[in-house]
């Protein structure tokens, strides 16, 4: 039953030794250890990994763009950038004024060897504009969630075995393996006995 397919809890993360089985429908990863069979949402897990890294407090690695992105902004957007220039820089978005209502974006965050799409800057500007009266710190969770969602593998992405291994390794960190930033489960697990019941190889206990 759905109730039997438990979402993983943090206290159960200590002794994982995963064997990777493969990928289903370019969306879910399959893995097993001695006691359980795991069905993992590749986007939710990758999103959570990025999210944790961006919120970790560790200085973000900035990766220079081969060609700076020229941002043509409104007067209001220019003011938003000016107000939050330091915070944006700390998040890895290095901007420089390039004229009236023009900015150049020189770098974006590099997370797990993947550079964030510079077009993400437009999403961040939209979020800041919609919440102009809120403090940046109060918006950081939502901003980072959007960044993580954009950067993560999507449903439909065919992953190589090394890419799957890189994701699975992160599961050993309890924080990475609960829910995605939007609250969806990252994975469900089945015990051997639950699988045996599903295939009627073992009768359920009578009460």
């Amino acid at each position: 039953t759905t109730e039997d397919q438990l979402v993983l809890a943090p206290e159960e993360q200590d002794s994982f030794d995963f064997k990777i089985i493969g990928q289903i429908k370019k969306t879910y990863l399959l893995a097993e250890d001695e006691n359980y069979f795991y069905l993992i949402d590749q986007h939710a897990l990758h999103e959570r990994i990025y999210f944790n890294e961006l919120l970790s407090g560790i200085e973000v690695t900035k990766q220079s763009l081969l060609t700076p992105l020229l941002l043509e902004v409104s007067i209001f957007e220019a003011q938003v950038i000016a107000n939050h220039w330091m915070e944006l820089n700390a998040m890895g978005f290095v901007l420089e004024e390039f004229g009236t209502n023009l900015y150049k974006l020189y770098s974006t965050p590099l997370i797990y060897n993947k550079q964030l799409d510079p077009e993400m800057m437009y999403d961040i500007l939209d979020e800041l504009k919609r919440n102009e009266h809120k403090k940046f710190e109060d918006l950081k969770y939502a901003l980072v969630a959007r960044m993580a969602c954009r950067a993560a593998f999507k449903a439909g992405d065919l992953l190589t075995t090394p890419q799957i291994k890189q994701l699975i390794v992160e599961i050993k960190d309890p924080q990475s393996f609960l829910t995605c930033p939007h609250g969806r489960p990252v994975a469900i697990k089945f015990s051997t006995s639950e699988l045996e019941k599903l295939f009627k190889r073992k009768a359920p206990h009578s009460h």
Side-chain angles (χ1 to χ4, degrees):
T1 65
T2 303
E3 289 76 18
D4 290 329
Q5 299 161 8
L6 300 176
V7 177
L8 296 184
E11 64 271 14
E12 298 176 83
Q13 308 302 310
D14 297 333
S15 58
F16 282 167
D17 184 16
F18 281 104
K19 175 185 176 185
I20 296 166
I21 300 171
Q23 187 183 30
I24 299 175
K25 298 291 186 184
K26 300 179 185 176
T27 301
Y28 302 102
L29 308 178
L30 295 177
E32 66 175 344
D33 64 12
E34 287 185 7
N35 302 308
Y36 294 99
F37 167 79
Y38 301 90
L39 187 58
I40 303 158
D41 183 321
Q42 67 189 36
H43 174 71
L45 174 58
H46 203 201
E47 188 178 17
R48 169 53 72 177
I49 290 168
Y50 276 142
F51 182 80
N52 287 356
E53 181 72 10
L54 287 164
L55 280 187
S56 66
I58 299 170
E59 186 175 353
V60 173
T61 301
K62 302 177 179 75
Q63 177 73 46
S64 296
L65 299 171
L66 291 176
T67 304
L69 177 66
L70 185 63
L71 299 170
E72 190 171 350
V73 297
S74 67
I75 294 172
F76 178 40
E77 288 170 332
Q79 189 60 52
V80 167
I81 291 173
N83 290 345
H84 299 296
W85 185 87
M86 287 183 65
E87 293 94 337
L88 291 169
N89 190 287
M91 288 178 72
F93 296 93
V94 177
L95 291 149
E96 188 175 292
E97 198 169 0
F98 192 64
T100 305
N101 298 335
L102 287 173
Y103 276 86
K104 272 191 175 181
L105 177 65
Y106 285 97
S107 74
T108 60
L110 184 71
I111 310 294
Y112 282 88
N113 297 318
K114 182 176 180 180
Q115 184 169 21
L116 206 65
D117 184 348
E119 297 289 329
M120 183 69 207
M121 192 64 230
Y122 292 110
D123 288 352
I124 291 173
L125 269 179
D126 286 343
E127 192 77 32
L128 291 172
K129 283 190 298 181
R130 283 204 310 271
N131 297 278
E132 58 174 311
H133 300 302
K134 290 186 179 179
K135 293 180 180 178
F136 190 90
E137 200 59 37
D138 295 335
L139 295 174
K140 193 171 182 181
Y141 187 102
L143 290 172
V144 168
R146 287 183 75 164
M147 289 165 62
C149 188
R150 281 284 293 270
F153 294 129
K154 304 295 187 290
D157 287 348
L158 182 63
L159 305 188
T160 64
T161 299
Q163 286 174 321
I164 294 173
K165 283 182 177 177
Q166 188 177 16
L167 286 182
I168 296 296
V169 163
E170 295 299 329
I171 293 169
K172 295 182 180 180
D173 173 5
Q175 288 184 315
S176 294
F177 207 32
L178 300 175
T179 61
C180 77
H182 306 103
R184 292 192 302 107
V186 166
I188 56 175
K189 68 176 183 178
F190 304 82
S191 68
T192 303
S193 63
E194 285 162 357
L195 286 175
E196 287 174 338
K197 288 176 190 176
L198 288 172
F199 286 98
K200 302 192 184 299
R201 295 178 65 90
K202 182 186 286 187
H205 294 296
S206 57
H207 297 285

